[in-house]
Amino acid sequence: MAVYFDHRVEAPDSSGEAILISWHSSVCVLAVGSVNASTGGCVDVYLQQGEHVELCHVERGFSPSLLQWHPTKPLLAVGWETGETMLLSHPSGEHTPLPNNTHTACITVLEWSSNGNRLVTGDQAGVMVVWKVDARGKLQGSPLIKHDYSKPLTCCIFRPPPPTEDVAMLARAAVSGDESALDMFNWKKSNKGAVFALGTQEGLAFYISTADGSVYSVDEQARSVPLLSVESAVQKMWYSKRRAVLAVVTDSLLLSQFSLGPEGIAQEISKVKLSGRGGQHADIVWTEHGLLINASGEQHIRLWDVELDDHYALTLDESLGFEKGELLNCVSFCTSKQVLAAGTSRGRVALWHMVTVSDQKGDAKIHWKLQTPAEVEGNISQLQWGSSSHLLAVCSSSCVVILSEHVMCSHYSQQMAAVQLTPTQLSLANFNTNTHITFHTDTHIRAVQVTKDMVAVWNGKYITVYEPSGQTLHSTGSFQCESPALAVHEENIYTVEPNRVQIRTPQGTVKQLLVFSEAEGNPTLLSVCGSYLAVGTDTCHIRVFDLTRREAKAMGVTKNLSELIPDLGALRSVKCNASGSQLSILITQVNGRPDNKVYFYDIELDTLSYFDFFTGRPESSLAQSEDSQRSQCEGELAARCPVSQFWDENEPRLFVCETVSLNSDLHSSSLSQTEKGDVLVVTFFVTQEHGLLLQDSQPKPASLLSLLALDTPYYYYICKLLFRRGGLVLPDLGEDGEQVVSTPTTTPQVPSSPQMVVRRALRDFVGLESCEKQTRDAMLNFSFYLTIGDMDEAFKAIKLIKRQGS
């Protein structure tokens, strides 16, 4: 489950009300334009947590009208309502004004070419200017062209460049005797445009529109010719490279599509009046696949698939915390996450996840899953996703807030469980004492680790250590640390830095370094089970350390999984068992998709095996000898993907993982959000002699969010948080873990001591949950021997079991 941390920008006192926001496409910097009724306007630049870059502050006695970042350099083009235009450089704050009197009216167009070698500026009076910018981001003398269209300019888009030939492949073909390739290569060498043909091509042709509905085509030599005309002012344009089609939307929401021939002739192929409120209040975005999304202050968002000629609407849901009559003002779409964000009149950010699902005929259907909203102050007027897909800037009537997405963190160890409730709030459960408390921290929580005597919280910059004391916690130490990975064991805290793991005291003192070579890479994953530490690196190396001694000692050698696993892209999760003898690994493939296998590395034998959830079978059939068991395995577990994994806290043979169906919208959207359906919890015995043995598989209870740990005789699950109108409430869980319907609360806060973690007995321990260790061990042996089919040993084990209360 994800939570959005809100970072309010640290705006100067003189900044006034924000009216413009703009993220850089590759650098995590946000530009904000604002206006103060008494002093004029200003432009400021902020970092991803809202920190103000003091040198990048520009004030004028008038309002900024447009902001546009250079596509690659931290260089901001700023247009003002008087026509002044400048380039502002981050982080130096150096600003270069365009020559005086270039524009004398409000700037309405600022557009960079794809590589940033050209900048188009245009104004309310109809003056368009094309500038050349060098590799350092400096303007090159006078403009390439200045043209007066005598009508206000409304928008501009560059036409994408044509695909380039692979010059290296062309050269190899020419050398090998391919005459056509040789001719092509010689032509390209002699052609005047070779600088574009042989290098990285950049589209320098663009389309620019005016308020009377005219669209002009401007070629690479900056020659402008009329292209087409529509009934009213052009509000948005979009070019489909695949179809060579230019789509135009007017202020009155008339959508026209034009095919563009090689001679620059535009032919209208369709025209449709889009429903909805047009005018200045409409906010329109295009996705790369031609989906037009419009928010215009109504209670729904309208979507048009330009290529399929299909349209539909998205509405809010009061059961998720939205209010009746709430209006949707603005939209922004994140291509990499396939998430649509919309800002409302009541200060909420609605988030829809786009999921593509194939029906029985194989046709792809798009579904939109509405999420629980994030909330800010005021009426939201603008939204924009940042260069990092987890950042969303929100501009409202009250403030500018940067929302940073974070998966809620949790951890279990030694009968202690911690689950994040809000950006600054933890639910802590001690199952030894059967107590639950809610703990508020002073900072945002980005990671948490617990033991029976310690709670360590990391906020991205500092680690703070707390010690439980009855119903409260008190801080015992805090130290600066920017480690992206964190683990704890007894009195030690494990953090990482390039090429090594640091073993620290609770006060931050480094006691020992676990060094990795440059080839072994930088540690990125840490996990402790029992008294063993598993480490995974960014070069896909793994290693286990024994923590039972005064100093940590490496077990075996550092293993390079890239040599063993084809198409290995990155490590997703690395866990070791309670004896440190086995490592389990989840990976991401080179193509970025999660692998359907869970891998097991035996440290002593130096062997790698796996269970393939796509086929529902282990690597070798020897691991599941009985035909009936093999059929059960293949039937229940096929066409699935593992999303999380855990070893038993004390039993080194017992392993569990959560899996989702490959056909579910969960798999196609986000593997980290196991609150969405079709989750199967699969338990294995893992041994050297018998390999992988399926012990049990069962659906995750619908009322529970995700698996947190396995500690025989229990599975430990995180409860779902329910969002209802008026606040955040916990489900009322019955004895079987199913949700009990209760009256909605009107208190907009988390309950004082929510029970966020519940236990569910393993199949063979139902009725034996309170048994002592001897009985528990005997029951585990019975379950193991029953799984491998050794009935003699199973009966021997069952004789040792004494049922509680008998």
Side-chain angles (χ1 to χ4, degrees), residues 14 79 161 189 192 196-197 236 301 304-305 309 330 345 349 358 371 413 472 488 525 535 560 577 616 716 741 791 795:
S14 60
K189 285 200 301 179
K192 293 180 181 180
F196 300 115
K236 281 283 183 179
I301 291 174
W304 291 267
D305 191 317
D309 194 24
C330 49
S345 57
V349 178
S358 298
Q371 311 297 311
S413 179
T472 61
V488 295
L525 299 172
V535 181
N560 182 6
N577 66 352
Y716 289 77
V741 177
M791 302 308 296
F795 282 125

Side-chain angles (χ1 to χ4, degrees), residues 504-522:
R504 299 173 178 263
T505 67
Q507 289 73 41
T509 303
V510 177
K511 298 163 52 178
Q512 185 184 352
L513 293 175
L514 309 178
V515 180
F516 289 73
S517 68
E518 184 174 347
E520 291 168 343
N522 302 313

